Amino acid sequence: MALFDPLPSAEALRDEELLTLSIQNPAHFAHIVSRYEEPFLRKAERILGSRDEAYDVVQDTFTKIYLNARRFKPVPGASFKSWGYKILVNTAFTFYQKKKKDAPFSAKLDPELFDIIPDLAQLEWSEQELDRNLLVSVFSKMPRELSRVLELHFLEGRPHQEIARMESLSVPAVKTRVYRAKQLFRKIISSLNRV
């Protein structure tokens, strides 16, 4: 028996084995990073829309994975890969929500939605921006499925087909929701102006 049995090359080791080895020897974690850095960057960039922000999220993800390596327990049907992607997606969404919360709010309105709002000059709105508090107030009074289509179609400028895919609806169902949402939006705005 040899005094020193060399480890098999990193390529031959499974992710779970490398993670376990990295607890004692952090140098092994570099192999996990090299395997997952590019796929994680692509996924984070799809979520965030920015390569620079994706780099930050991926770095945070690898830090969390390494710091929580002892907590990883392999279970049938769930691999290191699924665990790592779950951490990545959660980190990306947390980053996105924080960015969204911290960003100054300015809503560029579609002219069709803007026409619904009466007495704009009296309320001191510019033709291109709407006060966040008003939008939050109106949207909070609407059923979620209706406020969501308004947000996606008019504020984010997404076409009906894309909304249908995102919301698992048919295109006619999206058009109906947009129509109903506009009617309800108009009604709520009118009631706010009477107050």
Side-chain angles (χ1 to χ4, degrees):
M1 179 171 171
L3 293 175
F4 175 73
D5 289 327
L7 289 171
S9 72
E11 293 78 30
L13 295 174
R14 293 181 10 257
D15 298 330
E16 295 80 4
E17 295 167 324
L18 282 171
L19 186 64
T20 301
L21 290 171
S22 71
I23 294 169
Q24 298 301 318
N25 183 353
H28 291 289
F29 196 72
H31 298 293
I32 290 175
V33 171
S34 69
R35 286 181 185 176
Y36 286 95
E37 186 173 27
E38 273 307 310
F40 278 11
L41 279 170
R42 284 192 300 274
K43 182 73 166 177
E45 188 175 2
R46 268 185 264 144
I47 294 169
L48 301 169
S50 164
R51 186 77 168 178
D52 291 337
E53 291 172 348
Y55 277 111
D56 293 339
V57 165
V58 169
Q59 184 176 359
D60 287 350
T61 299
F62 281 126
T63 301
K64 289 176 182 177
I65 289 171
Y66 182 75
L67 293 175
N68 291 291
R70 291 183 193 281
R71 291 183 175 175
F72 175 74
K73 302 285 185 254
V75 292
S79 63
F80 166 82
K81 184 177 181 178
S82 61
W83 182 69
Y85 270 101
K86 182 177 179 182
I87 293 171
L88 171 71
V89 169
N90 288 341
T91 304
F93 280 123
T94 300
F95 182 92
Y96 177 78
Q97 291 299 331
K98 183 180 181 331
K99 177 180 134 184
K100 195 171 163 183
K101 180 181 166 207
D102 293 345
F105 182 81
S106 170
K108 301 282 186 215
L109 289 183
D110 182 284
E112 186 180 352
L113 186 58
F114 190 75
D115 290 340
I116 294 172
I117 304 168
D119 301 324
L120 295 173
Q122 175 189 340
L123 295 174
E124 298 180 12
W125 293 337
S126 76
E127 189 170 319
Q128 292 300 313
E129 295 186 347
L130 183 65
D131 182 68
R132 176 185 173 89
N133 293 332
L134 178 67
L135 267 184
V136 169
S137 175
V138 173
F139 282 8
S140 71
K141 292 172 176 40
M142 299 175 76
R144 178 69 184 131
E145 69 272 6
L146 297 182
S147 64
R148 174 98 173 128
V149 295
L150 277 186
E151 180 182 340
L152 292 172
H153 186 63
F154 291 109
L155 299 182
E156 295 182 17
R158 296 179 188 267
H160 291 133
Q161 293 81 0
E162 185 177 348
I163 297 169
R165 266 194 320 277
M166 292 172 69
E167 300 296 305
S168 301
L169 297 168
S170 67
V171 172
V174 170
K175 289 180 180 181
T176 300
R177 283 190 185 181
V178 168
Y179 176 80
R180 288 179 48 219
K182 287 184 337 189
Q183 299 295 353
L184 185 56
F185 187 93
R186 182 179 286 123
K187 183 178 176 182
I188 294 169
I189 286 289
S190 295
S191 71
L192 291 174
N193 284 335
R194 279 188 241 121
V195 176

